[in-house]
Amino acid sequence: MEKEKFNVIVVGGGPAGIISAVTARKYYPDKRILLIKSVGKGAVPCGIPYMFKTLQKPEDNILGNAPLEKNGISVMVDEVLSVDRKGKAVKTRSGQILPYEKLILAIGSNPIIPPIKGVDKKGVFPIYKDLEYLKGLKGELSRAKSILIVGGGFIGIEFADEFSDIKGLKVCLVELLPHLLMNSFDPEFGELVGEKLRAKGVGIMTGKKVEELLGEGKVAEACLSNKTCVPTDLVVLGIGAAPNTKLAEETGLDLGRGKGIWVDEYMRTPDPDVFAVGDCAGKRDFFTRKDLPVMLASTATAEARVAGANLYQLKVVRENKGTIAIYSTYVSGLVLGSAGLTESSARKEGFEVVVGTAEAPNKHPATLPGTEKTKIKLIFSKQSGIIMGGQVAGGICAGEIINIIGMAIQQRVSSTELETLQLATHPHLTSAPTMYPLVLAAQDAVGKI
Ligand SMILES: Cc1cc2nc3c(=O)[nH]c(=O)nc-3n(C[C@H](O)[C@H](O)[C@H](O)COP(=O)(O)OP(=O)(O)OC[C@H]3O[C@@H](n4cnc5c(N)ncnc54)[C@H](O)[C@@H]3O)c2cc1C
């Protein structure tokens, strides 16, 4: 029997791989599409922090093949070891040579392992998006009395929140920078998370570096830059990820200065038949076009939609000319969202900015049960009045307010437009029309322009 030949091969079964395959199916219904993934049972990445207490069992967070099967996309569990761009074929670990017309690299990222002495000891866990591996961490947690998290970015704080719900487990978090979430929030927002975590008993040490992990084979203590040592049974590394570019480099594709695979606006590498999407692909800042190491599932899927649609012809003209690094996070009932530049990053980059802030109850009247406060900060260009960034903290609605701000940034909306925004409001659903915090924050900024 002749082996099936595929027109499109997608390498990688994370969010970027799945969405590029599904989008390619929609735009090119006649093409045969194969997705090759090295991990049979992956985990939904954003759900990983919640696999240890909130979800009943780790399997509730499986990244399955359902959307692929539903769309008639073939799936193979194997690892692509090399790409022959001249011969237009990939070679896999199982020895298969598979020709392609169009190739999409969606090979993701790997957790950064910091050069800490003793980091290779047992009991130290970088976060791999692999269900079986994460089940191993869950097993270790059930026997541990204490855990130390390295890194106070969104992954670190989400783990701290989850672990602090495990009875009898002492949780510590160490962050090198002076505040939590400092890469994407100004300090007054990071401090809100600190308060929440401290109230749950998490020991937070900011402005300190983990210098050495001690223990006979297995980690037992973490020694910090302030010359103190913290006893710990386990360590989780949450300090970020680096694009996985080995395959691309070996086949001679360029890397950007940010070290992701170089791609144009349409996610094409310099080889017009090879695309790269998601964490492995280079990103550029929306305002400066500088290389930006932002790795988010939401960015990955947006890129995947661009690539999937434009594989054979440029069908979808891309409007987004860079990443606005938009995301939200959740700690013990508190939602935080950030998009675009923070006040500190904008000033550091040399932008002349004004800032508008506002706080308002998220229901009206505020005496309604379940009312929470929404806090908003908006950053505008002083001369042009265009929105450059925003941060929100509050209840569940803050998760969607940040998406409104993200849209405003992408559309380069002015402070005046935001100040005169037409909105739907309802006592149970939103802040009062008289004090909608997004509008008030814009108004606050307009007064300073
Ligand atoms: C704990 C955690 C929480 C997160 N939470 C959020 C969140 O709330 N919101 C958000 O937007 N982002 C979040 N992220 C970031 C998000 O996970 C990534 O941005 C996203 O997974 C990127 O998707 P991707 O498909 O590009 O890469 P990946 O998810 O890394 O997938 C790449 C896949 O390719 C496979 N692969 C690699 N090389 C090969 C090869 N040679 N052959 C075959 N297969 C290969 C890998 O095994 C992997 O399965 C989180 C990340 C972590 C670790």
Side-chain angles (χ1 to χ4, degrees):
M1 199 175 75
E2 207 193 319
K3 231 168 52 181
E4 190 180 1
K5 284 207 174 114
F6 295 95
N7 307 102
V8 178
I9 294 184
V10 179
V11 189
I18 294 173
I19 298 302
S20 37
V22 168
T23 312
R25 162 62 63 242
K26 286 202 172 78
Y27 280 83
Y28 306 100
D30 303 331
K31 301 293 181 191
R32 286 183 305 276
I33 305 171
L34 169 71
L35 184 143
I36 307 175
K37 57 180 197 175
S38 52
V39 175
K41 278 190 197 161
V44 176
C46 313
I48 291 174
Y50 308 109
M51 288 170 64
F52 305 96
K53 179 77 173 69
T54 310
L55 292 173
Q56 287 197 345
K57 50 184 192 314
E59 285 76 7
D60 289 344
N61 194 42
I62 278 190
L63 187 61
N65 291 338
L68 300 168
E69 284 160 6
K70 212 174 99 193
N71 284 285
I73 293 155
S74 304
V75 179
M76 182 188 283
V77 178
D78 204 341
E79 187 185 0
V80 172
L81 292 184
S82 60
V83 178
D84 171 8
R85 288 201 286 129
K86 233 167 135 197
K88 294 186 66 170
V90 298
K91 187 176 175 195
T92 70
R93 187 169 287 284
S94 70
Q96 303 208 53
I97 295 181
L98 302 160
Y100 65 81
E101 287 169 5
K102 300 285 175 184
L103 178 70
I104 304 178
L105 297 176
I107 49 183
S109 57
N110 295 316
I112 294 174
I113 317 286
I116 298 171
K117 234 170 124 185
V119 79
D120 52 352
K121 285 189 193 300
K122 273 200 184 141
V124 180
F125 285 83
I127 299 304
Y128 293 104
K129 301 161 200 146
D130 178 332
L131 195 77
E132 292 308 317
Y133 172 84
L134 293 163
K135 277 163 83 173
L137 171 56
K138 184 162 179 172
E140 290 284 333
L141 268 172
S142 63
R143 292 181 283 277
K145 294 266 174 293
S146 55
I147 187 160
L148 181 128
I149 298 158
V150 186
F154 78 92
I155 290 177
I157 60 152
E158 288 176 9
F159 274 111
D161 185 26
E162 178 80 352
F163 293 159
S164 65
D165 288 335
I166 299 176
K167 229 173 136 197
L169 187 70
K170 189 169 180 296
V171 185
C172 273
L173 184 151
V174 182
E175 164 59 49
L176 181 66
L177 297 171
H179 300 281
L180 299 178
L181 294 178
M182 228 181 140
N183 288 329
S184 40
F185 286 89
D186 288 315
E188 65 272 28
F189 283 80
E191 197 33 54
L192 296 175
V193 173
E195 280 167 23
K196 279 277 179 193
L197 290 177
R198 274 187 213 102
K200 291 184 82 184
V202 177
I204 295 176
M205 289 166 273
T206 50
K208 286 165 196 73
K209 191 174 171 183
V210 176
E211 293 197 324
E212 188 170 4
L213 298 172
L214 303 175
E216 291 297 316
K218 187 175 182 301
V219 70
E221 242 182 329
C223 295
L224 315 183
S225 48
N226 64 351
K227 306 295 168 222
T228 58
C229 292
V230 184
T232 191
D233 296 331
L234 294 174
V235 171
V236 160
L237 302 174
I239 62 158
N244 174 15
T245 51
K246 193 164 162 268
L247 202 57
E249 273 178 275
E250 284 169 0
T251 189
L253 290 170
D254 299 345
L255 300 190
R257 272 175 303 151
K259 299 284 180 248
I261 303 168
W262 187 92
V263 283
D264 68 8
E265 291 303 279
Y266 298 93
M267 311 315 295
R268 296 177 295 190
T269 68
D271 179 334
D273 295 321
V274 182
F275 291 65
V277 289
D279 283 5
C280 67
K283 314 269 176 278
R284 286 186 283 277
D285 180 79
F286 186 77
F287 292 103
T288 62
R289 315 293 294 141
K290 282 185 178 169
D291 290 296
L292 193 71
V294 166
M295 278 169 245
L296 291 165
S298 48
T299 310
T301 49
E303 292 176 353
R305 289 187 184 101
V306 172
N310 291 322
L311 279 178
Y312 285 86
Q313 285 156 323
L314 295 185
K315 288 176 185 275
V316 173
V317 174
R318 198 178 187 194
E319 300 285 348
N320 174 9
K321 300 212 165 43
T323 173
I324 59 164
I326 178 168
Y327 82 94
S328 44
T329 185
Y330 175 95
V331 172
S332 183
L334 171 72
V335 176
L336 279 124
S338 172
L341 301 173
T342 60
E343 181 184 0
S344 4
S345 64
R347 293 196 192 281
K348 207 161 136 199
E349 192 55 57
F351 286 107
E352 189 186 16
V353 292
V354 290
V355 167
T357 56
E359 285 187 14
N362 65 355
K363 295 177 194 260
H364 58 286
T367 41
L368 273 175
T371 298
E372 288 166 298
K373 196 171 67 183
T374 306
K375 174 185 167 95
I376 295 194
K377 176 171 182 175
L378 300 176
I379 292 103
F380 294 93
S381 156
K382 187 168 183 195
Q383 273 301 311
S384 49
I386 283 170
I387 185 164
M388 305 193 79
Q391 292 155 69
V392 192
I396 295 298
C397 64
E400 291 304 342
I401 293 179
I402 196 61
N403 287 333
I404 306 176
I405 296 175
M407 170 78 107
I409 297 170
Q410 289 173 68
Q411 296 304 317
R412 302 193 190 278
V413 166
S414 72
S415 50
T416 311
E417 278 174 274
L418 280 176
E419 191 190 4
T420 55
L421 202 62
Q422 301 184 42
L423 294 153
T425 59
H426 182 277
H428 280 295
L429 306 176
T430 67
S431 304
T434 47
M435 50 192 310
Y436 197 81
L438 189 60
V439 170
L440 295 192
Q443 217 161 38
D444 183 41
V446 168
K448 300 171 189 165
I449 289 177

